[in-house]
Amino acid sequence: MPALFPGFGGAIVSRLWTGRAWCAKLAVMPAPHTAEIFLDPHFTTGEVDPLLFGSFVEHLGRCVYTGLFEPDHPAADAAGLRTDVLALIRELGVTMVRYPGGNFVSAYRWEDGVGPADLRPRRLDPAWRTIETNRFGLGEFTAFTRAAGLEPMMAVNLGTRGISEAGDLLEYCNHPSGTTLSDLRGAHGAPEPYGIRLWCLGNEMDGPWQVGHKTADEYGRLAAETARLMRMIDPSVRLIACGSSGSGMPTFGEWESTVLSHAYDQVDYLSLHAYYDPDATDQASYLASAQDMEGFITDVIALCDAARARHRSTKRLSLAFDEWNIWYMSRQRPGQGEWPRAPRLLEDVYTVADAVVLGSLLITLLRHCDRVTAACLAQLVNVIAPIMTEPGGPAWRQTTFHPFAQAARYARGQVLQLHVASPTYETPKYGDVPLLHATAVHGEDGVLTVFAVNRDPAASLPLTVHLGGFRTAGPVSHSVLADDDPAAANTMAEPHRVTPHNLAAPVVENGRFTATLPPLSWNVIRLPLAAAH
């Protein structure tokens, strides 16, 4: 995250965009013209890795306690997990989850979260200035991932701890038996190895807000040596080195180059983090947030490939965008002077506009699926999350739940390289930006899916899609998420205020179809395809 917003901190920014006034504040956009997309089945970017639809669980606020885990809740299972939340997680389509942080991990002792729950120590968490009870730990987390059908991504503490502790944690998790730590896992009720293959080598170690913050040289050496030990213990692990916490960091670029000079041959991924603030003074740029994500990804790819050339390596590094989301930020850190347990922190309420921007960010990740092969929407429950809960009460879907769920369900297959023609609008941050943001996936299910965002908050956008060599074999469907009020949101009182709905199906004629994208909308258009001969 940007240096101005240290460590996921900050009080929730008050909502300034309401109804028609929201549109009035945006720079005047041109009269709508027809946008066009040109498809060709022969030109693809790559296969979508299911890990692109990951999420993130940190011991922050109510993400864990009264979010995922609430033993006294009427819907809790025998492990204390909320089954209503598990059902929503499955519906969301999450494939992988990162744990336990985030900033939390840089002062975390993994040993605190194993063994009998009533014997676990209570600790101060300096990252979020709270009390951590450790009632939910490694065993509970792995039980959660198995109940929800998720692949775990574990982060090791390279802030206050180091190589030895990372090796111990890996041995406890993955070694079958016959050693003190693997047998200790068995004594704790898990005789079979957890088999965790994805590991983050610390978190945001470039950030001065991070406990144990390091220079690029210090971190690069530590990451490389930690990776060597972890591969000695378990050669099957996949390792993620910390990239910059955001493209606005003063060390961006230099950090990546220095870290990779030490660790390129030892790691499989480099991480990226980015959060986008719905700035009420510049809504035009906010709607174009994907422009920043696009530039960030292409810059990091260039840095990785430059390191590859310097190392004369045949390995091409993948990117793990393992923290990304929309976040109403402030420069004030929460909870100063207090040490509460599981307080309500960063519980942003998302609008239609936020859902559309999040959909646009998903489109960007898909457009780079050849290099971005893992990603984590941060976070999963309550903390800037698509799922909200009330202690002892219901769970519900935020507006941002829906674009993620549709992408996770339908974006499985080959991402196509599109040629897009679109009218543009002017933004203070990014200059002229297309009103249409889109991608398309030739699905494993034999269906072509077009994901499209209309950034214009005032006018519909007619879209013509030229199908190239694709031949349809059934009716087209068009789902849209939009609302007359761009500030509309889902709440506990109105949990279904904003949901996707179907529009009239476009008709394919002469190898093309035309659809109308409503103002400020996320659109999913699906076409069953005829079998190739």
Side-chain angles (χ1 to χ4, degrees), residues 232-246:
M232 290 177 184
I233 295 170
D234 183 351
S236 72
V237 295
R238 304 276 292 169
L239 302 176
I240 304 161
C242 292
S244 291
S245 304

Side-chain angles (χ1 to χ4, degrees), residues 166-477:
D168 287 349
L169 175 58
L170 178 59
E171 182 182 335
Y172 180 93
C173 289
N174 284 12
H175 193 70
S177 63
T179 69
T180 296
L181 289 171
S182 59
D183 289 345
L184 181 62
R185 183 195 66 241
H188 291 160
E192 296 300 318
Y194 293 145
I196 299 173
R197 70 183 183 104
L198 294 166
W199 293 82
C200 299
L201 301 174
N203 175 75
E204 294 187 354
M205 299 309 298
D206 63 325
W209 58 84
Q210 199 71 208
V211 176
H213 162 61
K214 292 171 173 59
T215 67
D217 266 316
E218 290 170 336
Y219 172 71
R221 283 275 296 143
L222 177 59
E225 295 307 320
T226 303
R228 287 190 181 99
L229 175 62
M230 293 180 73
R231 290 199 192 282
M232 290 177 184
I233 295 170
D234 183 351
S236 72
V237 295
R238 304 276 292 169
L239 302 176
I240 304 161
C242 292
S244 291
S245 304
S247 58
M249 292 293 291
T251 54
F252 173 60
E254 180 184 353
W255 173 272
E256 280 77 3
S257 296
T258 302
V259 168
L260 292 179
S261 72
H262 294 288
Y264 188 92
D265 291 330
Q266 281 71 48
V267 300
D268 304 289
Y269 301 84
L270 189 69
S271 73
L272 300 81
H273 292 180
Y275 295 93
Y276 296 96
D277 187 0
D279 183 356
T281 66
D282 185 7
Q283 295 126 347
S285 296
Y286 172 57
L287 294 180
S289 293
Q291 297 291 109
D292 177 85
M293 180 183 267
E294 180 89 24
F296 190 14
I297 292 171
T298 55
D299 287 349
V300 174
I301 289 172
L303 291 163
C304 289
D305 289 348
R308 175 180 178 272
R310 287 195 302 272
H311 282 74
R312 296 176 173 85
S313 175
T314 59
K315 179 178 72 176
R316 191 175 74 160
L317 214 59
S318 293
L319 305 187
F321 218 126
D322 54 27
E323 286 189 33
W324 70 274
N325 205 348
I326 294 154
W327 179 15
Y328 285 76
M329 296 180 183
S330 163
R331 298 185 185 185
Q332 179 182 353
R333 287 180 61 87
Q336 293 294 327
E338 300 177 3
W339 295 94
R341 287 180 295 168
R344 293 178 184 263
L345 295 178
L346 311 182
E347 297 193 9
D348 288 354
V349 177
Y350 290 123
T351 67
V352 170
D354 297 332
V356 172
V357 173
L358 185 133
S360 190
L361 298 174
L362 281 163
I363 286 170
T364 302
L365 294 175
L366 289 168
R367 283 168 41 83
H368 291 279
C369 70
D370 57 328
R371 297 301 291 270
V372 182
T373 58
C376 301
L377 178 67
Q379 292 191 13
L380 184 56
V381 186
N382 287 327
V383 177
I384 59 169
I387 298 170
M388 298 296 293
T389 71
E390 187 63 21
W396 64 96
R397 307 164 188 82
Q398 292 237 56
T399 59
T400 53
F401 181 102
H402 299 294
F404 189 100
Q406 290 181 309
R409 181 175 181 182
Y410 298 131
R412 301 298 181 93
Q414 289 285 334
V415 174
L416 302 175
Q417 296 181 15
L418 310 186
H419 175 73
V420 177
S422 171
T424 62
Y425 74 104
E426 185 178 352
T427 70
K429 286 185 180 179
Y430 310 116
D432 287 344
V433 172
L435 287 176
L436 173 68
H437 192 209
T439 192
V441 178
H442 185 185
E444 300 167 346
D445 57 0
V447 177
L448 174 68
T449 303
V450 176
F451 300 97
V453 160
N454 176 13
R455 291 174 166 139
D456 192 330
S460 297
L461 181 64
L463 169 64
T464 298
V465 178
H466 301 267
L467 297 175
F470 288 111
R471 295 187 302 113
T472 59
V476 181
S477 65

